[in-house]
Amino acid sequence: MTQGNDSPADGSPTINQPAIELSGITKTFPGVVANDDVSMTVAQGEIHAICGENGAGKSTLMKILYGMQSADEGTMRVFGDRVDFKSPTDAIDLGIGMVHQHFMLADQLTVLENVVLGAEPTKSGGRIDFEAAKAHLQEVSESYGLDVDPDDLVETLGVGERQRVEIIKVLYRGAKILILDEPTAVLVPQEVEELFRNMRELKADGATILFIDHKLEEVLEIADSITVLRHGKTVATLPNEGVTASDLAELMVGSELPSPEITESTVTDTVTLEVRNLTVGGGGDRPAVDDVSLKVHAGEIVGIAGVEGNGQSELVNAIVGTVSPSEGSVFLSGEDITRRNVRTRRESGIAYVPEDRHHEGLLLSAPLWENAALGHQTKPPYARGFFIDRAGAREHTETIRAGFDVRTPNIDVSAQTLSGGNQQKLILGRELTSNPKLLVAAHPTRGIDIGAQAAVWDEMRQARKDGLATLLISADLDELIGLSDTIVVMFRGGVVATLDPSDVTPRTLGAYMTGAAIESDDRTDDLKGTP
Amino acid sequence: MNNLLRRVLLSASAPVIALLFAVLVSSVVLLASGSNPIAAYGDMVTHALKLGTIVDILNRATPLYLSGVAAAIGFRMNLFNIGVEGQYRFAAIVSAYVGAQLALPGVLHVAVILLVAMFVGGATAGVAGVLKVTRGINEVISTIMINAILISGVIAALSKRWQAGGSVDATGSNAGVGTDPIPESGLIPNLNGLIEPITGEIGRGKELTGMFLVAVAVGVAYHIILNRTRFGYDLRASGVNPFAATAGGVSANRMIVTAMVLSGMVAGLVGMPSLMALGRFNPNFVSLLGFGGIAVALLGRNNPGGIVFGSLIFAFLDVSSGILQISGSASREIKDIIQGIILLAAVVAYEVVRRYREREEARLAAEALAESGSSPPFESGSTPSVAGA
Ligand SMILES: Nc1ncnc2c1ncn2[C@@H]1O[C@H](COP(=O)(O)OP(=O)(O)OP(=O)(O)O)[C@@H](O)[C@H]1O
Ligand SMILES: [Mg+2]
């Protein structure tokens, strides 16, 4: 697999050799050129960002570098050696590790089991040496300040923790080159800071890091150099110095940086969603949602701020109906829906954008038009009586595709062939075009490029003006502050503050989210949206 | 249209490749055991081309197909109804009893027997579904247990009683031991009258089972329900991603029970061709079709059309290998080897065909792009636009 030419005999990285050199990489999928003659050089020990629109070919390029996909044309060099990976194993052997855009952990296994999976140290007799594995894992996690409990079930972890597990998994295998595909998409600002601290430590240790990110401020904060892809081609590779976010935006999509500011209030007196004294879980443990009450009016966007794992997901699940609360009730337009099943709730006008598109949002192996119907399969245009209305469903999917700029050769391809951001746009399109009364949106613009993000924000504002009530959960504080009429902060399952977005900044909001500002606050009572 | 034909041919190519591969491997086995593979296969094919054998193959394929559909309904939802074997045998006994007690006009009598069989099959499988959603018991375990209870317990006890002094038929043969005979009005007439005007006399006392038409109807219904109805959509969605299906309003528990019941209902029909041919349930009643069904469902990828292929291939091997015993050109057991290898090879063949198809599509797409200019065909412009933006 490695044909050394100008490399030293022992195969160790040579100083001055670039860590990675890609040249002329081309990769075609049915109907799409994902990478079109891409060339790029990454120096040893640098943090290199890759930016570009949804579907620009970023993930594909990284998968090629990781041996998961093979390029149709082009050559790759790693530490100066020409390589031709047949599988990720080859890449791992050369010290390349990748954390995917969509995590690939086994829910039912522990952190330790996930980390060693595929790289199990064995004792005599072929049994797995868990003691040695655990020791090594703890060594890795301590030396990089990546804090995890090896015995936790992955199922119970929040996204920030899952991400740490993925990174440890890669480091555990001795990676010298790390590829992180949109690592910050799922993180709240504090977690992003922590990740960046880890990345700097890794870099100080000599690691080379490639990462994909749609948030340009983050890119400018951490990257040493930046490569911009557009329509599968390299547009430019720039050093960080002297580049601004709008320069990057211009290169990526040819447009200005959008901002999620709301103009005038459209909040009405009609209460669409009311959550009354809702408690989820408990009974021995601390409840995941603890006596939460809130109202969302027609024409209002209520944002929920909080560090992942403080009850937001469970609150959403209880509203959508996938978990039943232990106490309290949920009302939709004045009607008690606490005991209704998910289907009845969705039929009565609840649209839902789940936090994890692969887990709850998509049928990955099914065609796009079937995915567009998911959650709305009982109603026109997707259904006619007991039958699925194929023609209607397809036609509507085309509408979504055009309206939300879902980039795909056609609507018969399976959802897994879409890029992450395009998958998200498909979900948003299906939910926003379903004529909902209430939109429950968890991280709606997660993984979406800045151009499409602006369009989604416009779409949400338009729907709000038309009377849609929106419950918005987001890790992106600018989005939360910019879009919401009211911000509710959740901490340890409870609502700890109700704020007016016009007088919070990401910094003060962050303080509330970590519980630091709760004691000193007394403004919770005089704001709209408080029960 | 040309495209559609290509796609059909490509999908059909996987089981055919698997069959060819299996034939190749078995040839080696035959050679090693001192038989002449060409002679053996020649005997089988010549035999299979006779009208009488074709009827036998269809008679064999009919219950195999039903059994395949029963298994496939479960597989579609990642449920493994391994209990088809017990379900169809138990369903046949009960419906034979009920059928023998009744005196009804023809169509009604037949309908009652089939409905009882479907009801019993559905209820038996449904128990496993209910156990799964209420007690969390894996359906593989529960259907195996129910199989054991039904087959060893009930059926064995009944056979004992029949042997001890049950109804022995006029000829006094062992085959006559069983339930009371079902009156003529309860038996589906054979299709000889329907096909003989076209094919000529079948002869040798062979009959094409009337259940053939029922199997066709079940196949069509399976296709329509699976691919055209909301229920089928929910079923497939739950199979592909149960969490997304749940968030999309599909009740996982209800789907599990419904799928098990439907699977059992079709399983209930599996024993009907045999029951109709024998006119009663007796020790000659067909067995092992439940496991054959799992195999043909796998071979046919749980598709209504694919299972047709699978059941025909298996039925052909089952039936035409019989000639080997007579001709002596090889051991009849060679068919077990072929069937086993087909199943293994099919898994590989499907993957190979899938990859070939992907590469082919990518190549065609790349060519199309090269002709039409360099930018991807779906790119409408360089800036994204969202409606209402
Ligand atoms: N397995 C596949 N089969 C077919 N097409 C694919 C496949 N993987 C990617 N594509 C296509 O290749 C293009 C590039 O996808 P890629 O995932 O690399 O985009 P990306 O830059 O990572 O986008 P995003 O920011 O949305 O994650 C997309 O148009 C996508 O539809
Ligand atoms: Mg991507």
Side-chain angles (χ1 to χ4, degrees):
Chain A
M1 137 222 106
T2 312
Q3 303 117 32
N5 39 12
D6 46 358
S7 67
D10 62 352
S12 67
T14 327
I15 308 299
N16 300 331
Q17 284 283 13
I20 290 160
E21 247 183 305
L22 303 178
S23 68
I25 300 286
T26 296
K27 172 78 181 171
T28 314
F29 289 114
V32 188
V33 182
N35 291 143
D36 189 356
D37 193 18
V38 173
S39 299
M40 166 175 135
T41 304
V42 180
Q44 274 184 49
E46 76 165 345
I47 298 182
H48 194 113
I50 315 235
C51 300
E53 287 180 289
N54 296 129
K58 306 178 296 291
S59 297
T60 305
L61 189 64
M62 294 302 106
K63 284 179 193 164
I64 291 171
L65 181 54
Y66 184 55
M68 265 180 90
Q69 269 162 357
S70 59
D72 303 338
E73 282 165 48
T75 56
M76 297 196 284
R77 283 169 191 277
V78 175
F79 298 126
D81 290 344
R82 175 83 185 271
V83 294
D84 181 14
F85 297 142
K86 297 275 176 277
S87 76
T89 321
D90 295 344
I92 292 168
D93 288 345
L94 281 192
I96 300 178
M98 177 161 178
V99 175
H100 292 277
Q101 185 167 7
H102 303 102
F103 296 161
M104 298 189 169
L105 297 172
D107 273 0
Q108 304 294 325
L109 300 183
T110 64
V111 169
L112 178 64
E113 287 164 339
N114 264 287
V115 168
V116 300
L117 203 68
E120 303 90 348
T122 46
K123 289 194 283 211
S124 59
R127 280 170 306 145
I128 298 178
D129 188 350
F130 276 112
E131 292 307 308
K134 199 169 191 165
H136 187 185
L137 188 156
Q138 261 148 359
E139 198 179 301
V140 170
S141 95
E142 269 160 35
S143 65
Y144 296 104
L146 291 158
D147 197 21
V148 292
D149 180 346
D151 299 321
D152 275 346
L153 263 189
V154 163
E155 194 174 45
T156 65
L157 303 183
V159 278
E161 292 166 299
R162 279 173 196 241
Q163 173 136 55
R164 284 202 288 275
V165 176
E166 290 269 18
I167 295 178
I168 288 176
K169 187 169 177 170
V170 163
L171 294 173
Y172 182 92
R173 287 159 173 68
K176 287 272 130 214
I177 299 174
L178 272 83
I179 304 170
L180 309 175
D181 195 346
E182 299 193 25
T184 66
V186 294
L187 303 182
V188 296
Q190 285 84 346
E191 290 172 315
V192 172
E193 272 168 37
E194 201 178 315
L195 173 73
F196 283 0
R197 216 171 26 245
N198 292 329
M199 283 167 67
R200 289 196 183 100
E201 255 167 63
L202 285 164
K203 177 182 154 181
D205 235 45
T208 307
I209 302 176
L210 272 133
F211 82 109
I212 299 176
D213 200 337
H214 287 294
K215 296 185 195 121
L216 303 180
E217 324 81 68
E218 291 177 358
V219 169
L220 292 172
E221 182 187 334
I222 186 91
D224 298 311
S225 38
I226 303 154
T227 293
V228 179
L229 288 184
R230 190 165 166 188
H231 298 338
K233 295 194 175 79
T234 6
V235 179
T237 295
L238 319 158
N240 194 340
E241 289 82 48
V243 182
T244 66
S246 46
D247 293 343
L248 282 180
E250 188 76 42
L251 281 172
M252 278 166 59
V253 291
S255 66
E256 286 287 291
L257 264 181
S259 78
E261 244 112 291
I262 273 187
T263 41
E264 82 282 22
S265 169
T266 57
V267 182
T268 64
D269 291 337
T270 327
V271 179
T272 303
L273 173 74
E274 182 177 359
V275 172
R276 219 180 271 168
N277 304 107
L278 196 76
T279 298
V280 177
D285 301 335
R286 188 169 57 79
V289 176
D290 194 358
D291 195 25
V292 167
S293 298
L294 57 85
K295 284 180 186 162
V296 186
H297 298 85
E300 182 183 30
I301 298 180
V302 172
I304 296 199
V307 176
E308 163 90 21
N310 278 283
Q312 306 92 317
S313 310
E314 291 82 358
L315 174 65
V316 163
N317 290 344
I319 294 171
V320 175
T322 50
V323 304
S324 8
S326 38
E327 266 166 67
S329 16
V330 180
F331 295 85
L332 184 68
S333 302
E335 213 181 316
D336 188 347
I337 58 165
T338 321
R339 304 269 156 255
R340 301 276 166 78
N341 60 25
V342 182
R343 172 143 296 164
T344 323
R345 296 185 196 206
R346 308 272 331 238
E347 282 175 347
S348 47
I350 298 185
Y352 175 41
V353 177
E355 58 177 355
D356 182 341
R357 54 183 168 255
H358 280 194
H359 185 63
E360 273 193 328
L362 294 168
L363 308 171
L364 283 175
S365 59
L368 298 192
W369 69 268
E370 288 194 356
N371 275 280
L374 189 65
H376 312 282
Q377 68 265 42
T378 56
K379 287 192 299 190
Y382 302 111
R384 203 188 297 126
F386 284 103
F387 290 90
I388 290 287
D389 181 351
R390 289 181 158 222
R394 300 176 59 92
E395 196 183 309
H396 191 69
T397 309
E398 288 291 1
T399 314
I400 295 173
R401 175 189 175 192
F404 286 78
D405 189 38
V406 180
R407 309 241 174 132
T408 174
N410 62 64
I411 58 168
D412 292 305
V413 301
S414 63
Q416 65 207 350
T417 68
L418 292 189
S419 78
N422 282 303
Q423 290 172 345
Q424 188 71 14
K425 289 192 264 178
L426 178 71
I427 294 177
L428 282 163
R430 127 185 133 198
E431 299 306 329
L432 282 167
T433 58
S434 69
N435 223 341
K437 262 192 225 165
L438 171 71
L439 169 67
V440 180
H443 314 282
T445 58
R446 187 174 265 182
I448 287 190
D449 69 47
I450 47 169
Q453 196 175 36
V456 167
W457 286 334
D458 280 339
E459 194 76 20
M460 287 176 69
R461 279 192 210 110
Q462 183 60 42
R464 160 180 172 270
K465 204 155 119 197
D466 297 341
L468 178 70
T470 303
L471 188 67
L472 171 70
I473 290 90
S474 180
D476 180 343
L477 300 188
D478 292 318
E479 172 173 86
L480 214 49
I481 294 170
L483 278 182
S484 307
D485 296 292
T486 308
I487 293 179
V488 171
V489 183
M490 280 188 82
F491 184 68
R492 298 209 178 126
V495 170
V496 291
T498 304
L499 309 169
D500 183 340
S502 59
D503 51 51
V504 290
T505 61
R507 186 153 293 281
T508 55
L509 194 53
Y512 279 103
M513 287 161 58
T514 50
I518 299 163
E519 297 80 20
S520 59
D521 187 76
D522 56 357
R523 294 176 303 171
T524 41
D525 293 332
D526 52 27
L527 287 160
K528 56 186 186 275
T530 333
Chain B
M1 205 55 232
N2 196 5
N3 238 334
L4 185 71
L5 185 70
R6 257 180 55 96
R7 269 181 31 210
V8 169
L9 282 179
L10 264 176
S11 349
S13 60
V16 172
I17 293 173
L19 177 66
L20 291 179
F21 179 73
V23 164
L24 204 77
V25 175
S26 334
S27 306
V28 176
V29 176
L30 284 173
L31 281 173
S33 66
S35 311
N36 177 355
I38 307 223
Y41 299 139
D43 285 347
M44 281 171 73
V45 172
T46 329
H47 181 56
L49 291 177
K50 292 190 198 123
L51 183 57
T53 322
I54 292 176
V55 167
D56 285 342
I57 291 175
L58 290 179
N59 283 341
R60 177 73 185 169
T62 297
L64 263 181
Y65 182 76
L66 290 167
S67 180
V69 171
I73 293 173
F75 284 145
R76 277 288 181 170
M77 250 199 78
N78 300 327
L79 288 171
F80 196 171
N81 178 9
I82 207 169
V84 172
E85 187 68 27
Q87 287 150 20
Y88 83 78
R89 289 213 240 168
F90 186 52
I93 293 185
V94 176
S95 57
Y97 258 113
V98 173
Q101 308 308 318
L102 295 175
L104 288 169
V107 180
L108 207 60
H109 201 168
V110 168
V112 168
I113 291 176
L114 295 187
L115 287 175
V116 167
M118 288 170 74
F119 177 81
V120 173
T124 316
V127 170
V130 170
L131 284 175
K132 186 176 174 100
V133 301
T134 56
R135 293 273 171 275
I137 300 171
N138 188 297
E139 76 283 358
V140 173
I141 312 280
S142 58
T143 52
I144 288 178
M145 303 283 269
I146 294 172
N147 260 6
I149 295 168
L150 292 179
I151 295 175
S152 339
V154 179
I155 299 178
L158 283 177
S159 310
K160 235 244 158 92
R161 226 183 67 194
W162 295 330
Q163 259 143 30
S167 49
V168 176
D169 76 356
T171 63
S173 75
N174 188 39
V177 178
T179 58
D180 291 338
I182 300 169
E184 197 64 33
S185 60
L187 301 178
I188 303 180
N190 64 45
L191 301 179
N192 288 15
L194 221 60
I195 58 165
E196 279 179 342
I198 312 162
T199 59
E201 190 89 12
I202 298 172
R204 290 193 292 154
K206 293 197 191 253
E207 302 175 347
L208 177 59
T209 177
M211 281 299 291
F212 179 79
L213 293 182
V214 176
V216 171
V218 166
V220 171
Y222 175 52
H223 167 74
I224 291 176
I225 290 175
L226 188 68
N227 294 316
R228 300 294 151 118
T229 66
R230 278 164 38 183
F231 171 78
Y233 177 92
D234 287 355
L235 185 83
R236 287 183 291 124
S238 312
V240 171
N241 183 349
F243 303 103
T246 304
V250 180
S251 158
N253 286 351
R254 189 184 303 172
M255 287 313 291
I256 289 170
V257 175
T258 319
M260 283 307 278
V261 168
L262 281 178
S263 170
M265 284 170 72
V266 178
L269 293 174
V270 171
M272 293 300 105
S274 184
L275 187 68
M276 295 293 163
L278 296 169
R280 62 169 63 187
F281 187 92
N282 69 18
N284 282 348
F285 186 78
V286 66
S287 63
L288 298 182
L289 283 170
F291 304 109
I294 293 168
V296 299
L298 288 174
L299 195 56
R301 293 237 130 176
N302 305 323
N303 284 323
I307 305 172
V308 170
F309 250 112
S311 50
L312 283 176
I313 290 179
F314 266 52
F316 159 73
L317 291 168
D318 281 345
V319 171
S320 65
S321 61
I323 194 70
L324 297 179
Q325 251 164 349
I326 301 160
S327 77
S329 52
S331 156
R332 156 159 215 189
E333 275 63 46
I334 194 68
K335 77 134 205 238
D336 294 327
I337 298 178
I338 301 184
Q339 287 181 342
I341 295 170
I342 287 181
L343 279 184
L344 293 177
V347 178
V348 181
Y350 274 113
E351 184 60 22
V352 169
V353 170
R354 192 183 65 77
R355 291 206 184 153
Y356 169 80
R357 178 150 60 190
E358 255 174 25
R359 255 207 319 278
E360 194 62 358
E361 276 171 16
R363 192 182 57 76
L364 289 176
E367 274 170 16
L369 284 182
E371 272 164 36
S372 68
S374 63
S375 87
F378 57 85
E379 228 58 275
S380 48
S382 57
T383 40
S385 61
V386 169

